[in-house]
């Protein structure tokens, strides 16, 4: 029994992979946004639909044998209902607009979440729509009202750092009655940044360095105003010269002389004896700890030198550099 189930599952998986490759070869890479035409929608009976068809066949044979007109009428009525359900199931997907939304970066070993928006531009509601992928991900079916919009969160395993690509997903519906399954293949090559997995705590970060007029740190005093510089992502809003901004001179940040800023320099070359992935994991751990404690830090990689700063924008820039690093 288990062997038979495994063979059936393997056969279905191979059929789905063949269908996906054929659809990609036929349609190519999809534009974003994509309006789903009728020719992109496929439909087949579900397991319940096959059982329903067998029941109708048995009812038809029995009604013919006993010459029961009432049973024949009921059989044809149920058959008409099934054909109507097939038409409505196909129409439920026709004309849907598919857009890619945002995808937040994740750490390796977690699940990436791709946000996919479906827009209904028709004056009728769309029922029980969901999004699926080849890795077993299936979103909760949602109702999209007339001229409405819904966002689906599709999860995908992110086992290693780098750029994770969702190159294929399906728009699926079984409405009404779950007698048929209608779906459409979509190939948009959506991407998500996967940071290295932070190493375990234990290795101490490099000693702090001091700087003046560098990163804006909450511990800095306000003595001796030294001038202005352009605003950088991650700068504290308390350092912004709002009066200058009100005069339409752009966002400027106040600098103060004679005030020391403590910062770390996380250097790739300082982690001798470790492999590439181990170094990236350790740098990721130091960045996360420094960011959580509000300390400024700089990052040095081969061919890249990011100066000291603080804030979520600086953290994201450094972690992205680690994620996309190539030796």
């Amino acid at each position: 029994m288990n062997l038979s189930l495994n063979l059936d599952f393997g056969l279905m998986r191979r059929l789905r992979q063949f269908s996906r490759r054929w659809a990609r070869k036929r349609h190519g890479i999809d534009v974003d946004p994509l309006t789903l035409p009728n020719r992109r929608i496929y439909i087949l009976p579900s397991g319940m639909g096959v059982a329903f068809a067998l029941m109708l066949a048995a009812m038809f044979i029995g009604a013919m044998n006993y010459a029961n007109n009432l049973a024949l009428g009921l059989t044809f009525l149920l058959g008409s209902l099934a054909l109507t359900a097939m038409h409505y199931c196909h129409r439920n997907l026709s004309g849907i607009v598919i857009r890619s939304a945002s995808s937040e970066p994740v750490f390796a070993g977690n699940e990436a979440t791709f946000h996919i928006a479906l827009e209904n531009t028709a004056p009728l509601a769309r029922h029980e729509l969901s999004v699926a992928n080849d890795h077993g991900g299936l979103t909760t079916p949602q109702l999209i009202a007339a001229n409405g919009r819904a966002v689906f969160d599709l999860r995908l395993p992110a086992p290693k750092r780098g750029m994770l690509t969702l190159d294929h997903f399906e728009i699926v519906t079984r409405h009404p009655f779950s007698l048929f399954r209608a779906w459409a293949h979509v190939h948009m090559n959506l991407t998500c940044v996967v940071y290295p997995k932070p190493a375990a705590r234990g290795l101490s970060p490099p000693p702090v360095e001091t700087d003046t007029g560098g990163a804006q740190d909450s511990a800095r005093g306000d003595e001796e105003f030294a001038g202005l510089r352009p605003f950088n992502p991650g700068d504290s809003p308390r350092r912004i010269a709002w009066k200058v901004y009100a005069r339409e001179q752009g966002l400027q940040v106040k600098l103060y002389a004679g005030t020391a800023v403590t910062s770390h320099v996380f250097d790739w070359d300082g982690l001798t004896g470790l492999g590439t992935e181990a170094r990236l994991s350790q740098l990721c751990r130091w960045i996360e700890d420094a960011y959580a404690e509000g300390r400024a830090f700089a990052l040095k990689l081969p061919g890249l030198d990011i100066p000291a700063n603080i804030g979520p924008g600086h953290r994201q820039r450094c972690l992205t550099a680690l994620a996309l690093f190539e030796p």
Side-chain angles (χ1 to χ4, degrees):
M1 178 64 71
N2 291 336
L3 179 60
S4 176
L5 291 176
N6 290 335
L7 290 176
D8 292 342
F9 178 77
L11 178 61
M12 291 299 297
R13 183 175 59 183
R14 287 192 293 271
L15 288 176
R16 288 175 66 86
Q17 291 174 348
F18 172 79
S19 173
R20 171 189 167 183
R21 289 194 298 268
W22 178 83
R24 186 182 181 94
K25 182 178 180 180
R26 180 185 180 190
H27 304 301
I29 302 299
D30 293 311
V31 297
D32 185 7
L34 169 68
T35 301
L36 204 57
N38 287 333
R39 62 185 180 85
R40 295 286 299 271
I41 303 172
Y42 306 93
I43 185 169
L44 284 175
S46 63
M48 184 181 296
V50 173
F52 188 80
L54 294 176
M55 182 193 71
L56 289 181
M59 290 177 60
F60 179 77
I61 294 173
M64 292 291 292
N65 284 340
Y66 291 97
N68 190 324
N69 292 333
L70 184 60
L72 279 174
L74 178 61
T75 302
F76 291 134
L77 177 63
L78 293 177
S80 301
L81 179 66
L83 292 176
T84 303
M86 180 179 65
H87 169 73
Y88 273 88
C89 186
H90 186 276
R91 194 187 69 172
N92 201 35
L93 290 183
S94 180
I96 284 290
V97 179
I98 306 167
R99 296 179 183 271
S100 64
S102 60
S103 59
E104 296 81 12
V106 296
F107 291 99
N110 297 330
E111 286 188 331
T113 302
F114 292 87
H115 305 295
I116 300 169
L118 300 185
E119 298 179 2
N120 178 19
T121 58
L124 53 92
R126 308 302 180 105
H127 301 267
E128 298 181 24
L129 298 184
S130 57
V131 180
N133 64 6
D134 296 337
H135 299 272
L138 179 64
T139 64
T140 302
Q142 296 189 44
L143 165 69
I144 306 179
N147 300 311
R149 182 175 185 268
V151 178
F152 296 78
D153 297 336
L154 187 61
R155 300 185 181 276
L156 189 66
K160 60 181 181 179
R161 69 173 181 91
M163 193 67 74
L164 179 66
T165 302
L166 176 64
D167 59 350
H168 168 264
F169 59 92
E170 297 176 359
I171 311 299
V172 183
T173 184
R174 294 175 181 265
H175 176 82
F177 310 136
S178 296
L179 296 179
F180 294 88
R181 181 182 186 270
W183 75 96
H185 297 281
V186 183
H187 303 88
M188 281 189 178
N189 285 344
L190 309 182
T191 58
C192 174
V193 177
V194 182
Y195 299 148
K197 183 178 180 180
R201 289 185 174 88
L203 185 61
S204 300
V208 297
E209 295 185 357
T210 58
D211 185 19
T212 58
Q216 299 300 305
D217 187 89
S218 59
R220 294 183 59 179
D222 290 342
E223 60 272 24
E224 296 188 20
F225 174 73
L228 300 172
R229 67 167 175 82
F231 174 83
N232 293 322
D235 288 335
S236 173
R238 292 179 297 176
R239 300 293 177 176
I240 297 177
W242 295 109
K243 293 183 179 181
V244 176
Y245 179 73
R247 293 195 294 267
E248 298 184 356
Q249 297 180 8
L251 278 178
Q252 302 287 328
V253 176
K254 299 177 184 178
L255 295 178
Y256 297 91
T259 309
V261 178
T262 60
S263 63
H264 293 277
V265 178
F266 302 142
D267 194 346
W268 169 274
D269 294 329
L271 293 171
T272 56
L274 297 179
T276 299
E277 298 304 321
R279 292 192 190 195
L280 294 174
S281 295
Q282 187 58 58
L283 292 172
C284 181
R285 164 54 59 196
W286 286 343
I287 289 173
E288 285 296 277
D289 291 345
Y291 173 75
E293 298 175 10
R295 291 183 277 112
F297 57 89
L299 178 64
K300 289 186 178 181
L301 297 175
L304 179 64
D305 190 352
I306 301 177
N309 211 324
I310 61 173
H314 180 59
R315 166 186 175 268
Q316 182 176 2
R317 181 187 177 190
C318 293
L319 292 179
T320 302
L322 297 182
L324 305 182
F325 175 77
E326 293 294 339

